[in-house]
């Protein structure tokens, strides 16, 4: 089933960043998580903004004014604010002395972001520790792990992915749950405070305990624009503490995180 499209605002980039890695990196450095390579047989590269970022002085407009400077062309005229296109959800931005010199900022269906993570310039697929488990009946972008796994428990009842993945983990470790990112360090107490290492043994509950075991989307279920992104494929799952899961939410996977996840030996059912 195809995901419902995610609506976003697109600013028109200069150059051909899809085929120019250096230019892509310039746009990413300048505009952050707004810019990404799309999924699909013919990938594209663009910068897309949430509706909340589309205001006369919002991030979409301020980034649009910087496009030629990032590309390396003559800069646009500054000092203009974005204007709404009457009768639509689109906007336009004057970038020269005449109002006819403008760029269009279009409200459209944003393409799905690729699930390949950039690791040192190499698009890398997530191949997590549950990759050898049979996939659930439905694998979709944005879908959580509380859906049917297609497996049954010892009592004959159906298991959700969340239950089955935890069960597989527990069985592999003598009845206790281990974190798949044990030793991963992160700033758990705010900027400038000591780093927290992810513990080896996690708790079965209660759910609000910082060390409670949770099943985490390595490619997050939603991207930085709030659009559906990662799937509920078993290879996209890792078991980590609630505290680490909260920290990793709304962050793109880092090189260290991807390397660690892909190096965990696969579990067997």
């Amino acid at each position: 089933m195809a995901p419902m499209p995610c609506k976003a605002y697109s600013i028109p980039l200069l150059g051909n960043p899809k085929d120019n890695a250096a230019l892509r990196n310039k746009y990413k450095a300048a505009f952050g998580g707004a810019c990404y390579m799309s999924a699909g047989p013919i990938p594209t590269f663009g910068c897309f903004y949430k509706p909340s970022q589309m205001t006369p002085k919002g991030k979409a407009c301020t980034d649009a004014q910087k496009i030629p400077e990032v590309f390396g062309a003559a800069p646009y005229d500054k000092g203009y604010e974005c204007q709404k296109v009457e009768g639509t959800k689109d906007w336009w931005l004057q970038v020269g002395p005449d109002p006819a010199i403008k760029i269009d900022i279009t409200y459209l269906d944003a393409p799905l972001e690729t699930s390949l993570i950039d690791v040192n310039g190499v698009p890398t697929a997530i191949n997590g520790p549950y990759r050898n488990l049979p996939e659930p009946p439905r694998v979709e972008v944005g879908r959580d792990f509380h859906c049917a796994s297609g497996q049954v428990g010892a009592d004959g009842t159906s298991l959700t992915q969340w239950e089955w993945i935890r069960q597989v983990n527990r069985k592999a470790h003598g009845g206790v749950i281990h974190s798949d990112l044990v030793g991963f360090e992160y700033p758990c107490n705010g900027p400038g405070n000591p780093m927290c290492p992810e513990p080896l043994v996690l708790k079965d509950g209660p759910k609000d305990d910082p060390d409670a075991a949770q099943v985490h989307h390595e490619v997050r279920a939603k991207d930085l624009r709030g659009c559906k992104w990662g799937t509920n494929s078993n290879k996209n799952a890792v078991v980590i503490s609630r505290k680490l899961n909260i920290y990793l939410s709304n962050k793109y996977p880092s090189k260290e995180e991807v390397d660690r996840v892909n190096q965990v030996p696969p579990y067997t059912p």
Side-chain angles (χ1 to χ4, degrees):
M1 181 183 298
M4 291 292 291
C6 185
K7 307 295 286 191
Y9 283 96
S10 171
I11 59 175
L13 303 178
L14 296 177
N16 186 20
K18 179 179 80 70
D19 299 319
N20 185 328
L23 184 55
R24 276 201 309 275
N25 289 335
K26 284 184 178 181
Y27 280 122
K28 287 182 179 180
F31 304 152
C35 305
Y36 65 89
M37 187 73 81
S38 70
I42 306 177
T44 59
F45 180 85
C47 301
F48 300 88
Y49 297 81
K50 295 182 287 187
S52 62
Q53 295 173 309
M54 188 65 254
T55 63
K57 295 183 179 180
K59 181 170 173 55
C61 283
T62 56
D63 283 358
Q65 290 179 332
K66 301 173 187 174
I67 290 169
E69 296 165 51
V70 175
F71 173 64
Y76 291 146
D77 284 359
K78 299 292 196 305
Y80 301 104
E81 294 184 357
C82 282
Q83 307 292 324
K84 291 199 73 171
V85 177
E86 293 299 326
T88 75
K89 292 188 176 181
D90 297 340
W91 293 68
W92 63 277
L93 174 66
Q94 184 174 341
V95 294
D98 189 306
I101 305 174
K102 65 183 180 66
I103 62 171
D104 296 314
I105 302 177
T106 311
Y107 189 62
L108 45 67
D109 294 343
L112 177 68
E113 183 169 1
T114 179
S115 60
L116 300 178
I117 306 301
D118 191 332
V119 177
N120 292 339
V122 178
T124 304
I126 299 299
N127 204 22
Y130 303 93
R131 54 188 175 269
N132 286 354
L133 274 60
E135 292 285 39
R138 291 176 61 186
V139 175
E140 298 174 359
V141 293
R143 193 170 178 83
D144 65 30
F145 292 114
H146 290 278
C147 302
S149 67
Q151 308 298 315
V152 295
D155 59 358
T157 60
S158 296
L159 297 174
T160 65
Q161 280 183 274
W162 187 84
E163 292 169 329
W164 190 43
I165 287 169
R166 287 162 51 99
Q167 178 176 294
V168 168
N169 183 302
R170 190 184 297 109
K171 179 181 176 182
H173 301 118
V176 296
I177 298 178
H178 282 191
S179 173
D180 296 317
L181 280 175
V182 57
F184 183 88
E185 293 191 340
Y186 59 103
C188 56
N189 294 309
N193 288 330
M195 305 287 282
C196 285
E198 172 74 348
L200 173 64
V201 178
L202 303 179
K203 299 178 182 178
D204 266 332
K207 292 181 179 180
D208 59 353
D209 189 297
D211 290 332
Q214 295 191 343
V215 183
H216 167 71
H217 289 77
E218 185 56 26
V219 177
R220 318 311 188 216
K222 292 186 178 181
D223 65 15
L224 295 186
R225 288 152 296 281
C227 298
K228 292 180 179 180
W229 185 29
T231 75
N232 60 312
S233 169
N234 287 324
K235 67 183 179 182
N236 194 39
V238 288
V239 173
I240 58 176
S241 68
R242 177 177 184 270
K243 192 170 187 178
L244 178 56
N245 196 9
I246 291 172
Y247 171 77
L248 294 177
S249 296
N250 299 316
K251 294 180 177 67
Y252 280 169
S254 65
K255 175 188 182 302
E256 180 190 0
E257 188 184 343
V258 172
D259 286 344
R260 281 175 174 266
V261 167
N262 284 353
Q263 289 169 11
V264 177
Y267 292 98
T268 55

